[in-house]
Amino acid sequence: MNIEKKMTHIWIGPKPAPTKWMNTWKDMNPDWEYSVFTDEMMKSRTWINQHLIDRYYNAGCYAGAHDVIRYELIYERGGFWPSADSICLEPIDELFNSPPNHAYTVYENEKAKPGYTSPILAANPDNEVLKIIINTLHKLPSKYLNVSHPYLFTGNHFLSELWKQIPDIENKLTRWPSYTLIPQWYANGSPRYNGPGKVYAEQYWGSTGFKWLKKYSDGV
């Protein structure tokens, strides 16, 4: 493994955390140090991109604030930061076998959203890719954020455009196949992956998809 075995969930905003889902990550990986980064922790400190976090949070766009927070926390602390709106199906150690300088993420859906990746999920502290992301976002005035669609300016669309500007990104970033953590895309009717690749998680699409609306109460 090339990262420390530290796993953290972020949960901010007024809704109750889906603790049943979150606990599956801890239970499936008992030798990892596990913690939850809370709303109170977020408010107790100052961030590099405080202006973006405040804009999202005050508008009730917690998914957007979460993305910006996660970039900074991974850069500071390293480790793995899985999505709280997912469940773990398999131990994850074998996923982290890239060179030491790599950051990790996962494709959203190679066919439906070519080039789109989830916000960074894991890295060692002081990772170069995270530094580029944080510094790029720092130049973005908060008034330009689309709080209804955070993926455009700080999420997966933003990243898909940023990757094009980093010529040697393949030497710095590991992008897992979508089925690894996202075996079924959020759109209604999308088929679930049934190929030979190993599936480590089930994604429930907390801010976007139909599964969350049906199963939220089961996750708390």
Side-chain angles (χ1 to χ4, degrees), residues 51-72:
H51 65 301
L52 302 181
I53 294 169
D54 288 346
R55 174 78 173 102
Y56 276 139
Y57 193 90
N58 293 336
C61 181
Y62 306 112
H66 174 284
D67 291 342
V68 181
I69 289 168
R70 186 160 66 180
Y71 296 139
E72 295 194 29

Side-chain angles (χ1 to χ4, degrees), residues 159-176:
L159 292 177
S160 71
E161 295 301 311
L162 184 63
W163 304 149
K164 299 173 186 177
Q165 302 171 33
I166 307 176
D168 59 342
I169 191 62
E170 299 302 331
N171 297 321
K172 301 175 181 178
L173 181 66
T174 295
R175 289 173 280 194
W176 296 311

Side-chain angles (χ1 to χ4, degrees), residues 67-98:
D67 291 342
V68 181
I69 289 168
R70 186 160 66 180
Y71 296 139
E72 295 194 29
L73 289 174
I74 296 177
Y75 183 72
E76 293 174 5
R77 306 181 184 186
F80 176 49
W81 299 67
S83 298
D85 57 343
S86 65
I87 62 171
C88 186
L89 303 175
E90 298 282 348
I92 58 173
D93 288 25
E94 61 192 7
L95 287 173
F96 301 99
N97 56 10
S98 295

